[in-house]
Amino acid sequence: MRLGLPWKAIRLMLDIAALLTLAPPGRAQGLVSSDLSRLRSVASAELSPDGHRIAYSVTMRDRPGRPYGQLWIMDLASQKSIRVGSEKDSGGGPWWSPDGKWLAFEGHQGEKSGLFLARPDGSELTYLASPAGTNSPLPGTGQDFTWSPDAKQLAFVSATPGTEAAEASGDPMVITRYLYKPDAGEGLTRFNDNQRLHIFVVDISTKQVRQLTRGNTDEHSIDWSPDGKEILLLSNREPNQDEFFNYDIFALNVADNSIRRLTATESNEYDPLWSPDGKRIVFRGTRRGLTDRETTMEDSHVWVMNADGSDRQEIGRVLDNRQGAPRWTPDGRAVYFTIQERGSIRLVRLPVLGGPPEYVVTGTGSVGAWSVARDGSLAYSFATPQDAAELYLQAGSAAPRRLTDLNAPLFAGKRIAEVESFTFTSNDNKFEVQAFLTKPLGMTATSKHPLIVNIHGGPHGQNGPAFNFKNQVYAAHGWATLQVNYRGSTGYGQKFADAVFGDQDGNEGQDVLYAVSAAVRRYLWIDRERLGIEGVSYGGQLTDWLITQTNEFKAAVPTAGIANLVSYNYMTYYNQYEEMEFGQFLHQGNLMDVAWERSALKHVAAAHTPTMLIHGENDNDVPIAEAEQFFIALKDVGTEAVLVRYPREGHGLSEVQHNIDSTDRSMAWYEKHFPKPGMEGVTNVQP
């Protein structure tokens, strides 16, 4: 038996330790990877109906495993906060009763987990029910529980076994469902548990629970009507529901459990809510039938219709960008919703009966959770370029007030790097493309600094100026980070989001390379000899692809990337992703050949960039076989490659220590392959 670690492993650990403890002389003090365990952020913000209190949850990262939430209630008169439960308890998703006498939330309190109640002062913690979850891929779900208007009952969503559950969990396992794999982020198993979500009601006084819906469909995203008679819900009632992602809106009669259908479209509806008078319903929706259960190319917009489903109007059409879940103003005359715009997420108020949109929160950064009290006060979480999400309050015409400073102890004595945006013209002269550059700390008039290109996933997502922990760690190490909102990104209108259609690993990759070219020419302190590239999901896919197209990067770190569009299409849990992105199934026409041509694996012979592939062991979105294929192919070519596999992880990394470790390994990988600072001459002339 061989005891101890191999010398190469010990050397790598020493290199990582050195990166964390030794900073070059004169380097400004900033964040280090281990600071992630101390980083906190606001995840929810619910104003009480009278506007006197805010229930908010704080995302914590100070325990082994994944982040968790702590629930707090702030009294606005004193701005004092009390924690709901003990320090060891967790909670989130707070929802005030209509009379403001109770706060419902989900979490763990002592030995119990599930739905709980608390008084506005955090007292009288009461256990209500234990909803069961599912690992089935059901993205875009809205509210998990909702109060009856008299505050005497609480409806909630819970799972029961579907018809396929027994066979699919037996020995042998018999798979009949097209959608037989679990959710992307689950990370613990490889198979769908075949549970179905249904609606239950618990009586607040007796704690008695009754089930309202049954069957082999899922019901979720619920909202109780103001008259107490019906509960809105979303469900996919298609005969091929695994293959055609199509949520429609239904209303459940609480008295007799009958269900009436309110929409019948080939597109999707999300997040339905009754108006305060019960006469209208607001929701998010799309127009196109070609959607997929994970990534939609089409931007969702806000819609309004009558309570019977008639007079459906796309009121959000006045704003050509992706919109979030809407909520009514207390008087029912307008709705609030978030909108993605040029890297930021803003909050908008839009009149229902016509009129211009009003931008309510317009700062540089990202609005997260938000709520409105009866007096019109607005509470929201907001992440700025300098800090993770904090809690804010805006009352009347007064300026917003920041109510929390969660990271003051962490940031004390440390600098946060500046984020600057710039634009450039795309290679085909069709688009203005925006990029965000996080500048390094410790710059001098003559210093040169490496640049790490960090590519976002999706492809229909966006980067922005809001606080990014890993970029800040890189900045503290003297490295710049470049994030590019390549074509296909959201926040720049539907035409821009559509521009990647049928062109994966095409011109959007050129947008990334053009951004690098623009950056090194405009910012002369960037060392073109020390360029690195990384990304997660689609960002990992583009990283794989671009190192087969150029040798300008000295090292690459793709995470959860697709290397083979053909094999991926048949292994992922959402098998029709390529159909959505190319307009047809892979087996139709010559798309199989096109997909292979646009796969990094086909062009691996041209890949000479040292590559460290990172992947979650149980990634059902981009199965780990994608990294395995590319790893062996790189080895065959003779290109230096390492495959880092993280247990208990799905798509991307969730556990705090895994994120710290991956950041350390990424920095060590770049350091190993970057030339030493001050080398004479220029060899990398590509950017």
Side-chain angles (χ1 to χ4, degrees):
M1 177 180 291
R2 185 177 180 181
L3 300 176
L5 289 171
W7 167 245
K8 288 184 178 180
I10 295 173
R11 180 60 183 270
L12 177 61
M13 293 171 66
L14 291 173
D15 288 345
I16 291 173
L19 283 171
L20 298 179
T21 58
L22 299 177
R27 176 165 295 166
Q29 185 179 16
L31 296 172
V32 296
S33 63
S34 58
D35 287 333
L36 181 62
S37 63
R38 299 172 60 200
L39 185 73
R40 299 191 291 171
S41 55
V42 174
S44 57
E46 284 296 322
L47 272 163
S48 60
D50 61 12
H52 293 167
R53 292 178 173 87
I54 302 176
Y56 64 100
S57 59
V58 176
T59 300
M60 307 290 290
R61 300 171 174 86
D62 58 348
R63 298 179 188 169
R66 300 185 178 194
Y68 66 98
Q70 280 189 349
L71 185 60
W72 296 78
I73 301 175
M74 178 182 290
D75 179 86
L76 289 175
S78 64
Q79 286 192 219
K80 301 285 187 183
S81 291
I82 55 170
R83 183 173 52 232
V84 179
S86 72
E87 187 176 0
K88 294 183 178 180
D89 295 330
S90 64
W95 205 254
W96 294 97
S97 61
D99 58 10
K101 293 181 179 179
W102 289 104
L103 179 69
F105 65 95
E106 297 175 283
H108 293 78
Q109 299 288 315
E111 300 300 315
K112 292 185 177 181
S113 64
L115 273 175
F116 295 86
L117 294 180
R119 290 296 187 183
D121 61 359
S123 65
E124 291 189 46
L125 274 174
T126 305
Y127 167 76
L128 278 183
S130 224
T134 176
N135 68 2
S136 185
L138 291 167
T141 57
Q143 294 180 177
D144 293 327
F145 57 94
T146 178
W147 284 95
S148 63
D150 61 7
K152 293 181 179 180
Q153 300 179 87
L154 196 71
F156 62 92
V157 174
S158 186
T160 62
T163 57
E164 307 91 349
E167 277 196 317
S169 60
D171 183 0
M173 299 175 68
V174 180
I175 306 297
T176 57
R177 291 187 66 177
Y178 184 79
L179 188 64
Y180 69 92
K181 292 191 174 185
D183 175 73
E186 194 243 33
L188 301 176
T189 62
R190 295 185 181 275
F191 298 99
N192 191 327
D193 60 18
N194 294 296
Q195 302 290 300
R196 296 292 186 173
L197 296 180
H198 291 297
I199 300 173
F200 296 73
V201 167
V202 58
D203 185 271
I204 301 302
S205 60
T206 67
K207 312 299 184 294
Q208 293 297 309
V209 176
R210 61 190 177 99
Q211 185 172 348
L212 302 187
T213 64
R214 290 174 169 80
N216 218 36
T217 56
D218 295 281
E219 290 90 34
H220 54 80
S221 307
I222 57 177
D223 187 45
W224 211 312
S225 64
D227 63 9
K229 295 179 180 179
E230 293 184 303
I231 296 174
L232 282 179
L233 61 96
L234 291 179
S235 186
N236 181 358
R237 300 299 175 94
E238 298 292 334
N240 57 342
Q241 58 185 276
D242 275 4
E243 298 160 76
F244 192 71
F245 177 41
N246 181 20
Y247 290 163
D248 275 301
I249 302 174
F250 298 80
L252 167 69
N253 187 299
V254 178
D256 62 13
N257 296 349
S258 62
I259 294 178
R260 64 187 178 100
R261 186 168 192 155
L262 300 180
T263 66
T265 66
E266 69 274 20
S267 54
N268 277 290
E269 286 77 31
Y270 307 86
D271 308 302
L273 293 177
W274 300 98
S275 62
D277 62 7
K279 295 180 179 180
R280 293 187 180 91
I281 296 168
V282 68
F283 58 96
R284 280 191 305 139
T286 57
R287 287 179 172 270
R288 303 174 185 173
L290 184 61
T291 56
D292 187 85
R293 67 183 53 259
E294 177 68 16
T295 302
T296 52
M297 188 178 297
E298 182 187 3
D299 289 339
S300 58
H301 287 170
V302 171
W303 296 65
V304 171
M305 66 183 181
N306 292 333
D308 63 0
S310 63
D311 195 23
R312 176 186 171 112
Q313 298 179 42
E314 186 183 2
I315 62 171
R317 197 172 188 178
V318 297
L319 295 167
D320 181 21
N321 262 321
R322 189 157 298 205
Q323 297 160 18
R327 292 173 76 167
W328 292 93
T329 57
D331 61 11
R333 295 180 180 178
V335 292
Y336 285 90
F337 55 88
T338 57
I339 186 168
Q340 298 181 26
E341 287 190 344
R342 302 188 67 81
S344 287
I345 300 177
R346 302 188 166 102
L347 188 65
V348 171
R349 184 180 185 272
L350 182 64
V352 171
L353 298 179
E358 174 192 355
Y359 281 77
V360 181
V361 181
T362 60
T364 299
S366 294
V367 174
W370 53 274
S371 64
V372 183
R374 288 173 183 156
D375 64 1
S377 299
L378 171 70
Y380 61 96
S381 66
F382 191 69
T384 66
Q386 293 79 36
D387 198 355
E390 299 282 2
L391 183 63
Y392 290 77
L393 177 70
Q394 186 170 322
S397 59
R401 284 191 293 147
R402 177 170 166 169
L403 301 179
T404 60
D405 194 3
L406 301 174
N407 294 308
L410 172 60
F411 291 169
K414 296 189 177 184
R415 290 181 56 196
I416 301 299
E418 176 189 356
V419 181
E420 181 176 308
S421 73
F422 66 89
T423 61
F424 60 94
T425 303
S426 62
N427 64 303
D428 52 7
N429 299 314
K430 289 183 177 180
F431 298 104
E432 178 189 75
V433 182
Q434 187 175 27
F436 293 88
L437 182 72
T438 303
K439 295 183 176 180
L441 299 180
M443 293 176 63
T444 68
T446 58
S447 59
K448 285 281 195 176
H449 300 267
L451 175 71
I452 310 299
V453 181
N454 189 347
I455 312 173
H456 74 69
H460 310 297
Q462 65 167 5
N463 283 135
F467 183 84
N468 183 296
F469 179 80
K470 190 174 187 182
N471 289 355
Q472 290 294 332
V473 173
Y474 283 170
H477 199 64
W479 298 352
T481 307
L482 181 67
Q483 297 181 295
V484 187
N485 283 338
Y486 51 82
R487 70 191 70 190
S489 301
T490 52
Y492 300 87
Q494 191 61 60
K495 182 179 178 181
F496 194 83
D498 286 342
V500 75
F501 182 76
D503 190 35
Q504 282 203 7
D505 292 340
N507 280 304
E508 89 284 30
Q510 292 301 309
D511 290 343
V512 174
L513 296 182
Y514 267 55
V516 177
S517 178
V520 299
R521 284 167 171 77
R522 299 181 193 187
Y523 302 92
L524 301 181
W525 46 262
I526 294 176
D527 187 348
R528 67 173 66 212
E529 294 297 304
R530 293 186 287 165
L531 302 179
I533 186 169
E534 63 182 56
V536 180
S537 191
Y538 199 87
Q541 173 182 327
L542 271 181
T543 301
D544 287 350
W545 173 256
L546 289 175
I547 64 173
T548 72
Q549 307 298 304
T550 178
N551 291 317
E552 67 192 64
F553 301 105
K554 292 297 188 292
V557 186
T559 299
I562 302 169
N564 183 345
L565 291 175
V566 178
S567 61
Y568 164 78
N569 183 76
Y570 298 108
M571 293 190 302
T572 179
Y573 79 91
Y574 61 109
N575 311 75
Q576 295 183 14
Y577 165 71
E578 299 295 357
E579 181 200 7
M580 184 202 71
E581 290 290 334
F582 286 91
Q584 62 188 49
F585 283 107
L586 216 60
H587 64 267
Q588 295 175 322
N590 70 335
L591 186 53
M592 194 82 72
D593 297 330
V594 172
W596 178 236
E597 180 61 35
R598 291 296 179 90
S599 297
L601 189 62
K602 185 193 175 187
H603 305 281
V604 70
H608 304 296
T609 303
T611 302
M612 181 173 69
L613 300 110
I614 292 176
H615 225 100
E617 194 67 49
N618 291 317
D619 189 343
N620 293 294
D621 184 316
V622 178
I624 197 168
E626 291 300 306
E628 291 171 334
Q629 292 177 77
F630 206 50
F631 170 68
I632 294 300
L634 289 168
K635 289 285 192 179
D636 287 346
V637 171
T639 299
E640 185 179 357
V642 173
L643 173 57
V644 183
R645 309 167 70 118
Y646 286 95
R648 302 178 305 280
E649 295 286 10
H651 193 52
L653 302 181
S654 297
E655 293 190 17
V656 175
Q657 289 303 318
H658 285 169
N659 276 291
I660 293 172
D661 180 80
S662 68
T663 299
D664 294 344
R665 289 181 185 276
S666 298
M667 294 171 69
W669 186 254
Y670 290 130
E671 287 278 16
K672 178 181 178 181
H673 296 98
F674 283 165
K676 299 303 178 186
M679 290 185 64
E680 297 298 325
V682 174
T683 62
N684 191 357
V685 297
Q686 287 181 270

